[in-house]
């Protein structure tokens, strides 16, 4: 039996990218005890806080507790992993100082296989994953433009939602995030891939396509649907039933998004890391492992991989 | 009964791109009566002739008969179609003045469905196709760099080789082209696609890849093989058996080509038309018509199509 999740938890957020800033600012604004572990741009966040520009409002949290090392923060009730999955090798140093006996770790990362690296360090029993349906971009340290705040679903790694999972969802709702705790995290991850695989992927390999241009191109629109169908077929083999209506819904929603630049395209064009393995590589491997032919998904994976290899990445900022 | 093909035929060549210049220069050099129909760069070809730079020799034919209209040339024994398939709409004006009762028309164009437009104008009975295994590029009007002279196979459209087909092959051999007349032109076209589809296509969509970089990338190398297998499967449905050893041979030959820029990549990068429908679109349609799934080929077609649509083509020179 674990103790109930505290009403005023001590929270650490690893990473101040778009998601770290956005969710962190909401938690700070609600008066919670939030500690940001910041790798780059620390002085700016410390001096000016975090600014979130939303379609209908602006949020500015002036006073933010930022740290350069996990040891300075120490054990928390909740750790939110908001770095990119491509930086997960750093978790072995960042996570342990933040863990106490009852600490929950929530990863906001995209794609498949993102809970495993956390579980390997912190233990599977305390790992949760969030699927964030949100459109936001960090434009400068501590500054985030959010085109739609979207919603979040959370779940426990490999298990149904527990009482503590429900308490965490309630916390998110309390600070203004539409959040639901669901029993099958992996199913949710496959659902998210239905959009991410084609729109993020084709945006990169078809020459920097915004979603409106993709939808306007008959071939690519059909291709996006075929890619979604491959994902649906693979997910079904793992017992996750994604209805056809969900595929249709992706197109309806995307049509309303206008000239949206998918986050992986922004990362690609701005010389940042792209979650190649989590969004494309791991789904390919899992699908093939259960005998599902994902010819287009695999081709997309190979093409993105090549585009990334050919791109000269700027030297990583420390 | 048709009359034998004349030993010294009157020849028209439509187009002075790389192939028109190369093959035309060989015919001129052998003393044949060759008439070039030239759309652009006429003055340069008239003034300076045609220069071919080969790995082991240079050919310069100084005196070349060039014309701006087909009517000036009049009926010939042999018409060689050496314009790009993407310009085939012009054939309805260019071809008829060149045709006499016994004129043979040989198209050098790449891909599937290139004989049909000629047949529609000139009649199927006189149409032949050539498959040119050659690596050459026009670097200026009348100037061609040929990295390997390669070989040519020819065949009659929809029929086995006739005596006149054999005579034409003999003519090519006489002027220095390794040429064989084969009975199944369509089978040859499918064979040629085995190389053209992956190497020309991936070169375009994977960011301007030369063949050495493609072969060095594990994913793309596997993808090239999968694309070849789709072509082989489709060809088999049409009764054309392409052995596995032919697929292997493509990789062996390509490995020896070094940093080769496939012709479609050169066309793409230099803002020229690309034979999208002949090399990718028509094979997709034919394969699907006989129930063969060509998922990767179709995806490649859609991606190239989008890349071409997004590219700003320079205004066509008259």
């Amino acid at each position: 039996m674990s103790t109930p999740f505290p009403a005023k938890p001590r929270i650490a957020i690893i990473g101040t990218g778009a998601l770290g800033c956005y969710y962190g600012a909401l938690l700070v604004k609600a008066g919670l005890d939030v500690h940001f572990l910041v790798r780059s741009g620390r002085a700016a966040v410390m001096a000016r806080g975090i600014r979130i520009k939303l379609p209908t409002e602006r949020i500015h949290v002036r006073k933010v507790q930022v740290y350069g090392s996990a040891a300075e923060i120490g054990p928390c009730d909740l750790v939110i992993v908001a770095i990119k999955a491509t930086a997960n090798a750093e978790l072995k140093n960042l996570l342990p100082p933040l863990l106490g006996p009852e600490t929950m770790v929530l990863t906001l990362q995209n794609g498949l296989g993102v809970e495993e690296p956390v579980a390997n360090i912190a233990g599977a029993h305390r790992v949760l994953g969030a699927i964030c349906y949100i459109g936001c971009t960090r434009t400068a340290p501590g500054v985030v433009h959010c085109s739609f705040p979207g919603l979040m679903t959370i779940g426990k790694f490999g298990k149904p939602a527990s009482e503590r999972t429900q308490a965490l969802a309630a916390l998110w709702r309390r600070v203004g995030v539409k959040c639901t705790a669901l029993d099958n995290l992996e199913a949710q991850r496959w659902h998210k891939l239905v959009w991410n695989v084609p729109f993020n992927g084709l945006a990169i390999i078809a020459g920097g396509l915004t979603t409106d241009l993709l939808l306007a191109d008959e071939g690519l629109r059909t291709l996006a649907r075929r890619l979604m169908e491959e994902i649906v077929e693979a997910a079904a083999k793992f017992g996750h039933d994604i209805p056809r209506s969900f595929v249709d819904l992706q197109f309806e929603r995307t049509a309303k998004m206008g000239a949206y630049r998918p986050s992986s395209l922004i990362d690609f064009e701005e010389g940042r890391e792209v979650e190649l393995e989590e969004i494309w590589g791991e789904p390919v491997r899992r699908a093939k492992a259960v005998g599902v032919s994902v010819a287009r998904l695999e081709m997309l994976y190979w093409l993105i991989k090549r585009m990334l290899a050919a791109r000269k990445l700027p030297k990583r900022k420390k």
Side-chain angles (χ1 to χ4, degrees), chain A residues 149-199:
Chain A
L151 40 86
M152 182 197 272
T153 63
I154 63 172
K156 269 196 82 137
F157 176 48
K159 284 182 186 171
S162 66
E163 247 176 64
R164 283 166 65 92
T165 316
Q166 294 293 354
L168 178 55
L171 173 76
W172 282 120
R173 289 193 296 270
R174 216 162 75 219
V175 306
V177 179
K178 283 180 195 159
C179 181
T180 318
L182 292 168
D183 277 340
N184 196 329
L185 176 61
E186 195 185 275
Q188 291 304 306
R189 294 222 167 269
W190 280 98
H191 275 76
K192 180 91 190 271
L193 288 176
V194 171
W195 195 91
N196 271 345
V197 160
F199 284 98

Side-chain angles (χ1 to χ4, degrees), chain A residues 12 33 51 57 73 105 107-108 119 138 150 157 175 177 179 181 195 198 219 230 256 270 282 284 291 309 315:
Chain A
D33 182 25
R51 291 160 197 269
E57 62 170 328
I73 300 175
V105 185
T107 175
L108 307 186
R138 191 180 77 154
F157 176 48
V175 306
V177 179
C179 181
W195 195 91
E230 289 185 356
K256 292 176 191 152
E270 301 192 356
E282 191 62 19
V284 166
K315 283 213 175 71

